[in-house]
Amino acid sequence: MYRSDVVGSLLRPSYLKEARDKYGSHKLSDVDFKQVEDRAVNDAIALQDRAGIEVLTDGEMRRYAFYGHLIDAVEGFDKFGGWAIPFRNEKGEELVLPRPVVVSRLRKKRPLCAEEFTYLRARTHSAAKTTMISAQQAAAYYDSKKSAGAYPNVEAYLADLVDILRDEVQELVRLGCTYIQIDSPQYTALLDPQLREGYRQRGNDPDRLLDLSIEMDNAVIGDHPGIIFGLHLCRGNNQSRFYAAGDYGPITKVFRNTRFQRFLLEYDDERSGGFEPLRQVPEDRTVVLGLVSSKIAKLESKDELKQRIDSASAFIPLERLALSPQCGFASTMEGNLLTDADQEAKLRLVAETAREVWGKAVPVAHSNA
C-alpha cells in the first residue's frame, strides 16, 4: 500500500520550456531536445526523492499537456481545433483552453508512454507509475460536425481509441510497469450543468456517456493480475484555474462499476463536496485523498490534513486511505501559479504527513477482480 502519491505532472523548468519553443521552431535538433527532456526528467526524479514520495512519475516532462502523449503519438487530431473550455478562478477570471478534435481516422504513429516509463524505470529504485489519458476524457475530442468526415458517430471513434489505449496498457505491462494511472477529469464534467449541455451540443448524451465511459475504462485496463490501476478525478486544472464543481455523489457508479483498485480524488476545497460519497467505494479499493492543493502557494498544515483524513475515515476505513496533491502541478506546459520551492514543500508535506499517519509503505498484492 503506497500512502504518499503524486498525480502526475510537475512544474516544467524554464530550460525545458525554452528548448520546446526552439524545437517547435526547428532551431533545436531531435537529439539535443531529447537530452533536455532527459535532464528535466532526472530533475523531477531527484525532486520526488528529496521530498520522500513513495510513488514517482516522470513529471510528464515530455508532454505539452497531460493529454499530449495521445495527440503527439496518434495521427488524426487537430491539436487546437476542438471545443474550448473556459477555466476560471475564485475571482471569476477566465482562461480559455483550446482542445484537440478528431478530424481523420486514428493511426498510431508510436507508443504513447513506453519511452516515459522505460526511462523512469531505469533511473529510480522507487516505485514508478505511468499516467495515461482515459477514453472518457478523449471522448470530448469528438465533434458531430468537425469529426463526421472521419467517424459517423462518437461510438465509432471511441472503438478505435479504446483499441489504441488497450494496446498501450498491454505494452506497459510487458515493459514491467506495475502501476498505471488513468486520468479522467471529464468524469466530473458530468457533474456540471453547463458542461453537460456542451456535451449535448456536440452530439453526446452525458448520462449515456457515463455508462459508456465505465465500459470503455474497463476494456482499456483489461485483466492484468498484480498491476495497480488508478483512476484520477478532478474538476479541471490549468494555470491554477478549474472548470467544474460538485461532489462525487452523481457519479459514484464509477466507484462501484469500474475495475480500478485505486481512486485518486480531488478534495482540496469546497468545490469537491464532502466525504460522504466515499461510502460507495467497494471494500477492496483504496482512495487517495487529494487534500494538498497544487493550485495555490499557501502551504497546508499537518494538523489540518490529519483532521481531514480523520473526517474521511468516518466513511472509509483509515487503512484504505492514502494522501496526495489534489492534481498535477502542471497539467499544461505553463503550469500552476506556484514556485519550484512551493511545489517541493507541498510534496514533502504529503510524504511527511503520510508517514506520520500510516508509517512506512508495505507492498501488497492487488487483484483486478
Side-chain angles (χ1 to χ4, degrees):
M1 176 65 72
Y2 303 121
R3 300 297 187 181
S4 61
D5 208 333
V6 290
V7 169
S9 62
L10 298 172
L11 295 173
R12 309 299 200 274
S14 57
Y15 64 78
L16 176 61
K17 294 180 182 181
E18 292 168 4
R20 180 173 281 275
D21 287 343
K22 290 181 180 179
Y23 184 66
S25 302
H26 306 289
K27 297 177 182 177
L28 201 63
S29 70
D30 291 342
V31 171
D32 289 338
F33 181 56
K34 193 57 60 179
Q35 290 176 345
V36 177
E37 283 189 331
D38 291 349
R39 174 188 168 192
V41 174
N42 294 344
D43 288 345
I45 294 169
L47 164 64
Q48 294 168 93
D49 279 337
R50 287 196 307 272
I53 295 291
E54 293 171 355
V55 183
L56 277 58
T57 74
D58 77 336
E60 298 180 1
M61 295 293 163
R62 304 186 194 277
R63 307 182 188 183
Y64 75 90
F66 79 94
Y67 48 81
H69 60 305
L70 173 70
I71 307 307
D72 288 342
V74 178
E75 184 180 280
F77 294 100
D78 177 345
K79 197 170 185 177
F80 302 111
W83 178 31
I85 283 191
F87 287 76
R88 60 190 184 277
N89 58 22
E90 284 73 10
K91 298 178 181 178
E93 298 167 335
E94 288 193 351
L95 175 70
V96 176
L97 176 70
R99 298 198 299 178
V101 61
V102 62
V103 293
S104 62
R105 300 286 296 194
L106 300 184
R107 184 182 69 84
K108 185 176 176 181
K109 298 182 291 186
R110 59 172 175 78
L112 282 65
C113 309
E115 177 191 8
E116 296 175 345
F117 173 70
T118 53
Y119 188 90
L120 174 63
R121 180 194 63 187
R123 282 157 181 81
T124 181
H125 295 294
S126 299
K129 74 174 179 182
T130 296
T131 60
M132 281 180 55
I133 190 174
S134 72
Q136 197 271 354
Q137 175 72 23
Y141 307 156
Y142 181 86
D143 184 288
S144 57
K145 295 179 180 179
K146 296 180 179 180
S147 306
Y151 293 98
N153 51 52
V154 68
E155 288 85 359
Y157 158 62
L158 292 174
D160 279 358
L161 182 71
V162 166
D163 285 344
I164 289 171
L165 296 178
R166 182 170 50 212
D167 288 347
E168 189 69 18
V169 165
Q170 292 173 345
E171 177 65 4
L172 288 169
V173 172
R174 188 189 70 80
L175 291 170
C177 187
T178 58
Y179 184 177
I180 299 173
Q181 175 185 305
I182 306 297
D183 291 323
S184 192
Q186 287 300 124
Y187 269 120
T188 55
L190 301 177
L191 302 172
D192 191 293
Q194 184 176 352
L195 294 174
R196 287 170 64 87
E197 181 58 28
Y199 272 110
R200 291 190 184 96
Q201 292 176 2
R202 292 177 297 110
N204 292 334
D205 180 318
D207 295 316
R208 183 168 168 273
L209 183 58
L210 178 60
D211 291 330
L212 177 61
S213 299
I214 290 171
E215 181 181 339
M216 289 189 299
D217 278 334
N218 286 337
V220 167
I221 66 178
D223 182 15
H224 299 283
I227 308 302
I228 300 171
F229 286 95
L231 179 67
H232 169 59
L233 303 179
C234 75
R235 290 153 185 79
N237 183 48
N238 180 22
Q239 299 176 64
S240 292
R241 290 169 169 82
F242 56 88
Y243 64 62
D247 73 26
Y248 295 101
I251 60 168
T252 54
K253 66 168 59 177
V254 174
F255 302 151
R256 299 190 303 272
N257 296 349
T258 61
R259 303 175 70 219
F260 294 99
Q261 305 100 330
R262 194 168 171 92
F263 297 101
L264 298 95
L265 304 180
E266 179 179 55
Y267 265 120
D268 64 321
D269 60 27
E270 64 278 357
R271 287 184 301 101
S272 303
F275 295 124
E276 291 81 0
L278 299 183
R279 283 196 174 115
Q280 301 297 318
V281 178
E283 293 182 357
D284 60 343
R285 315 296 168 88
T286 299
V287 169
V288 184
L289 298 172
L291 301 177
V292 175
S293 177
S294 67
K295 286 186 168 72
I296 61 174
K298 181 182 177 182
L299 188 65
E300 296 81 355
S301 73
K302 286 184 183 178
D303 286 344
E304 174 190 353
L305 297 181
K306 290 175 182 178
Q307 288 171 5
R308 297 209 66 203
I309 292 168
D310 185 62
S311 297
S313 70
F315 303 99
I316 183 172
L318 182 64
E319 61 268 21
R320 290 169 49 207
L321 293 172
L323 182 64
S324 75
Q326 121 277 345
C327 195
F329 288 88
S331 297
T332 59
M333 179 64 60
E334 294 82 1
N336 287 341
L337 305 181
L338 293 86
T339 67
D340 291 337
D342 295 332
Q343 176 180 250
E344 183 161 354
K346 288 189 176 254
L347 292 177
R348 184 173 290 108
L349 176 64
V350 167
E352 290 178 355
T353 304
R355 284 195 297 271
E356 291 177 16
V357 172
W358 291 283
K360 292 185 177 181
V362 178
V364 294
H366 283 264
S367 167
N368 287 348

